[in-house]
Amino acid sequence: MNIIVCVKQVIDPEAPPASFQIDSASNKAEMKGAPPVIDPYGEYAVEAALKIKDANGGKITAITMGIKLLREVVKKPLSMGADELVLLEDESYDGADSHSTAYALAMATKKVADYNLILCGREASDTNAGQTGSGIAEILGLPCVTLARKIDINNGTARVEKVTADGYEVVEVTLPAVITVSNEIGEPRYPTIKGIMAAKKIDPVVWKPSDIGVESNQVGNAGRKTAVNKLFQPVHEGKCEMAEGDSPEEAGANLAMKIREAKIL
Amino acid sequence: MADYKGIAVFCEVKEGKLAPISTEGLGIGKKLAGDSGQELCAIVVGSGVAEATKEAIAYGADKAYVVDDELLKTYRTDSYVAVMKKVIDQITPQVLILGQNDIGRDLAPSLAFKLGTTATLDCVELAIDPDSKRLLQTKPIYGGNALAVYTSNTDPQIVTIRTKAMTPLAPDASRQGEIVNIDAGIDASAIRTKVVDTVVEEVAGIKLEDAEVVVAGGRGMGSAEAFAQLEELAKLLKGAVGASRPPCDNGWLPDTVQIGLTGKIIAPELYIAVAISGSSQHLSGCSGSKNIIAINKDPEANIFRQARYGVVGDWKKVLPAFTAKIKELLAS
C-alpha cells in the first residue's frame, strides 16, 4: 500500500482568537505571536494513513505545497511515521485557490506515480474550502469518498465509513482512489523520539512547477479561477451582561431571572 | 460567458419532500434573480420527486428541471455529478446554489471541477455585484475568525449555502411554473462507489437541528456523566443536548451531536453554552442562535464575546442553581 497524504502548513488555528489579525494590504491573516503549524485537518489524514500502514504495511509520502515552509513544521508527518516528504515550494505556488491547489497537487501525485491511495483532510483550517480532495480526484479521473471516519483496505478495495449528519455510511471503493478524512478518525498520534530522529535525517524533495510538468502561471495566484474581493473580521457586539451574586449558586439563579425578564424563557 | 444566464437551485428531496435547505436556496435564489433580472429555476433530482417539484415552484422557482430516476434514490457522487453535468450543460445557468450538507459539500466541488468552473462552499451571504454583475460569495474562513468575499471568473458560479443562513419565501401553492423533464441517462456501471450499509445513530428526543432550545457542554464538563445535568435542563426546556468538539472527540457523546464548523450548524431561539470556551470553529456552528447564554469559569472565554447573558463561575455550582430557578419560574 503506497499512500500519498496532502497536508499543508497553516497559521495556528488553536491560537487564541484575540491574536488573529488581518493585513488588509495583502489580504493575508496571521496569528500574532504563534508560529505556524501543520494543518490539524491534514494531521487527521496523516493519522489515517498511519493506521492503514499499521494494518497493511506500505509507504507514506506526504506532499506539502506553499512558501516559507518551516522544516520543523512540515516534517511533522515524517516524525509521526510517514516515509517521504515532497515539498512544492516556490514563490509561484503562493496565493493558490482551490483550483490551482488541486491542480498542482494532482500533477505532483502523477510524478510520485506509484500510489494506491491519496488522502487529504476534509478541509484546511485556514481556507475551510473543502475542495482539494474532490478536485484532485476529478483531475486524475479517480473516484472520491469524502469525510472518512474509518478506512479498511482489503484486496485493493477501501471500505470507508463516511460521516453523515445522522451517523455514517459504509462505502466501498476500488483503489486507486482519493479519500478525505474527518476528525472522527481519531486523535493523531504524537511523534515518537525515534520518529523525530528519523525525520531529522530525511531531506525533503523540493519540486518546482517545471518538475511537475506545469507552467508557473498554472499554479498559485496566477492559476486562480476565483478572486478575494474582501477579507475582514466580523464585528461582535461583545455586550455580554453578566449575572452576579454573592455565590456561584446565587449568580446561577440570577441568570435564570435575567432570561425570564428578557422574555427569552 | 455570454451564454450563461439564470439562477439555478439544486433541490434535494427527502422522503418525497423538498429539503428545508432547498427552500432556503430558492429564497436567496429568488432575490438574486430579481436583483439581476433573471429567471429562477429549480433542478429537482431524485426518485419520486413530483410533490417536491410542486413545492419548489411554490417556494419561488419560475421553472423546474426534473430528473427522476430510481438510480438517484440514494446520493452517490458519480451518479449525481453525471446528472448535474448533463443538466447544467443543457440549461447553462450563471449561478448554481446548493446546500452545505451531506450532499452539497460532496457534490459541489466535484461538479465544479468536472465543469471546469469553481465552487465556494458554506456561504452565509450572497449578492450580485452592481458593477461587475458577478456573484459576491461571502464565506467564513480561518475557522470563522474572518469572512471572505469571493468572486468567480467562470460560469456557472457554484455555491453552497450554510443551513439557516438564508430565508425561504412563504410558499404559495397557486404559483405556476413550467416543468421540464430530463432523462437521467445514468450508466450504473460508471458509479464507482458502493454503499454497503447506512448507519443511523439515533439520538433520543428532539433532533438538535430542530430544537428551539439547545443546551451544550464543552471540554470543561469533564466527563460523560456530567452531561446528565445538561439532559435535565434540556428536558425542562423541551430542548436538545449538544456539545463542542472535545466531548465528542473524547467519546463522552456521539459525534452526531457535535456543534461547529465540522459538525451541526444550528440556529435555535436559545443556546445555553456550559463550560464551552467558544473557539471560532465552535461558534461557526451556533452563532446564528437568537440568544446565547454562557456559563464559564474563565471571564476571558471567547464565548462571552457572543453571549447575551452569562455567569463567570464553576458550572458545577452555577448550573444546578440555574436549573432549579428555571424549574421554579416555569412552574409559577
Side-chain angles (χ1 to χ4, degrees):
Chain A
M1 271 302 292
N2 291 336
I3 307 169
I4 294 174
V5 186
C6 303
V7 53
K8 76 195 279 197
Q9 174 180 299
V10 295
I11 63 168
D12 187 355
E14 307 290 338
S19 53
F20 181 83
Q21 284 182 0
I22 290 170
D23 174 29
S24 49
S26 64
N27 263 352
K28 283 199 172 159
E30 62 169 330
M31 282 291 183
K32 213 79 191 143
V37 294
I38 267 296
D39 179 32
Y41 290 115
E43 235 178 286
Y44 289 109
V46 175
E47 176 59 29
L50 291 165
K51 282 194 165 94
I52 295 168
K53 189 182 163 183
D54 290 343
N56 305 69
K59 188 180 87 178
I60 300 170
T61 305
I63 304 182
T64 298
M65 182 181 87
I67 57 161
K68 297 180 188 141
L69 300 174
L70 302 179
R71 295 304 186 261
E72 66 270 27
V73 172
V74 297
K75 278 192 169 188
K76 189 167 183 192
L78 293 174
S79 55
M80 289 167 72
D83 303 277
E84 284 173 15
L85 176 63
V86 173
L87 301 179
L88 304 183
E89 192 178 32
D90 188 79
E91 286 298 323
S92 55
Y93 293 120
D94 191 30
D97 68 356
S98 296
H99 171 77
S100 52
T101 298
Y103 182 70
L105 289 171
M107 292 306 122
T109 65
K110 279 190 179 179
K111 182 161 168 125
V112 174
D114 183 21
Y115 65 84
N116 311 94
L117 179 62
I118 299 171
L119 298 178
C120 299
R122 57 177 288 167
E123 60 192 68
S125 62
D126 51 0
T127 58
N128 301 116
Q131 305 193 46
T132 302
S134 303
I136 292 172
E138 202 54 58
I139 292 166
L140 297 175
L142 295 177
C144 182
V145 180
T146 52
L147 303 190
R149 48 168 255 172
K150 190 166 188 283
I151 306 169
D152 292 309
I153 307 290
N154 210 333
N155 284 331
T157 298
R159 190 182 162 92
V160 184
E161 289 184 10
K162 172 186 164 62
V163 175
T164 64
D166 303 324
Y168 61 94
E169 270 180 344
V170 184
V171 180
E172 284 182 355
V173 63
T174 306
L175 301 181
V178 180
I179 299 175
T180 77
V181 179
S182 193
N183 43 285
E184 288 85 353
I185 201 91
E187 278 304 302
R189 62 197 66 186
Y190 286 105
T192 59
I193 298 291
K194 199 174 144 222
I196 294 167
M197 295 314 285
K200 279 211 164 106
K201 292 192 194 111
I202 301 172
D203 265 332
V205 182
V206 178
W207 288 344
K208 304 284 171 191
S210 59
D211 295 315
I212 55 171
V214 302
E215 301 292 331
S216 47
N217 63 6
Q218 292 175 292
V219 297
N221 191 45
R224 291 183 73 103
K225 287 189 173 183
T226 56
V228 182
N229 287 36
K230 204 172 151 192
L231 179 67
F232 62 102
Q233 278 181 270
V235 186
H236 298 301
E237 288 162 35
K239 273 236 172 221
C240 182
E241 196 180 320
M242 293 295 181
E244 312 279 348
D246 290 337
S247 65
E249 289 83 0
E250 198 182 310
N254 285 341
L255 179 65
M257 291 302 291
K258 271 188 189 296
I259 66 171
R260 167 44 77 90
E261 280 158 23
K263 297 195 166 53
I264 298 169
L265 200 61
Chain B
M1 265 201 246
D3 293 329
Y4 290 91
K5 54 173 188 282
I7 311 288
V9 177
F10 168 80
C11 288
E12 198 178 315
V13 185
K14 260 196 158 168
E15 284 147 18
K17 307 274 283 177
L18 189 63
I21 186 77
S22 302
T23 67
E24 293 159 21
L26 289 165
I28 183 66
K30 193 75 180 171
K31 186 174 182 301
L32 299 174
D35 289 350
S36 58
Q38 301 190 85
E39 203 172 55
L40 174 67
C41 71
I43 304 172
V44 192
V45 180
S47 173
V49 301
E51 196 191 330
T53 304
K54 280 186 205 151
E55 283 183 85
I57 290 167
Y59 275 100
D62 299 309
K63 202 169 181 178
Y65 295 90
V66 178
V67 193
D68 201 333
D69 192 299
E70 183 65 26
L71 274 174
L72 297 168
K73 199 173 171 66
T74 351
Y75 173 79
R76 299 268 54 83
T77 312
D78 287 338
S79 55
Y80 271 64
V81 167
V83 161
M84 285 301 289
K85 180 178 184 321
K86 187 177 175 188
V87 175
I88 297 299
D89 285 346
Q90 183 176 331
I91 70 176
T92 58
Q94 206 172 55
V95 171
L96 172 66
I97 301 168
L98 302 92
Q100 176 73 351
N101 58 6
D102 287 347
I103 294 181
R105 66 158 65 89
D106 188 90
L107 175 58
S110 290
L111 180 64
F113 275 89
K114 176 74 94 192
L115 292 167
T117 184
T118 69
T120 301
L121 273 57
D122 201 22
C123 293
V124 292
E125 211 180 307
L126 296 172
I128 303 284
D129 184 76
D131 301 320
S132 70
K133 309 290 179 212
R134 302 299 290 169
L135 183 67
L136 299 170
Q137 312 158 5
T138 306
K139 160 197 173 57
I141 65 170
Y142 294 105
N145 277 316
L147 287 169
V149 183
Y150 294 101
T151 48
S152 169
N153 305 332
T154 50
D155 283 337
Q157 304 159 76
I158 300 178
V159 292
T160 70
I161 53 166
R162 180 173 284 191
T163 315
K164 293 181 177 167
M166 315 289 172
T167 316
L169 300 173
D172 174 1
S174 69
R175 275 187 54 111
Q176 298 292 314
E178 189 190 343
I179 295 174
V180 181
N181 286 292
I182 296 178
D183 178 41
I186 306 165
D187 172 7
S189 67
I191 305 174
R192 296 168 294 179
T193 54
K194 195 167 97 187
V195 176
V196 291
D197 199 7
T198 300
V199 180
V200 174
E201 292 179 333
E202 293 285 354
V203 177
I206 305 164
K207 275 180 85 175
L208 206 50
E209 304 90 304
D210 303 331
E212 292 288 330
V213 178
V214 172
V215 184
R219 193 196 304 271
M221 295 301 293
S223 70
E225 293 69 36
F227 276 83
Q229 293 195 46
L230 302 191
E231 291 282 356
E232 187 195 342
L233 178 58
K235 211 167 163 190
L236 203 57
L237 296 168
K238 299 187 176 56
V241 170
S244 59
R245 217 171 94 181
C248 298
D249 283 350
N250 290 339
W252 301 342
L253 285 167
D255 292 319
T256 46
V257 302
Q258 183 207 315
I259 297 157
L261 191 62
T262 56
K264 296 271 181 342
I265 309 264
I266 57 166
E269 284 292 317
L270 176 58
Y271 186 72
I272 303 174
V274 183
I276 289 177
S277 65
S279 68
S280 297
Q281 104 95 27
H282 175 71
L283 293 174
S284 298
C286 66
S287 58
S289 308
K290 279 262 168 59
N291 297 288
I292 296 178
I293 311 279
I295 299 172
N296 202 294
K297 64 177 194 300
D298 175 10
E300 299 301 318
N302 201 48
I303 189 78
F304 290 126
R305 291 171 69 188
Q306 295 247 342
R308 185 163 165 203
Y309 298 106
V311 168
V312 177
D314 180 358
W315 73 268
K316 289 193 189 97
K317 295 193 174 116
V318 177
L319 187 69
F322 174 73
T323 305
K325 193 71 180 177
I326 295 272
K327 204 173 200 169
E328 187 189 312
L329 291 170
L330 287 174
S332 63

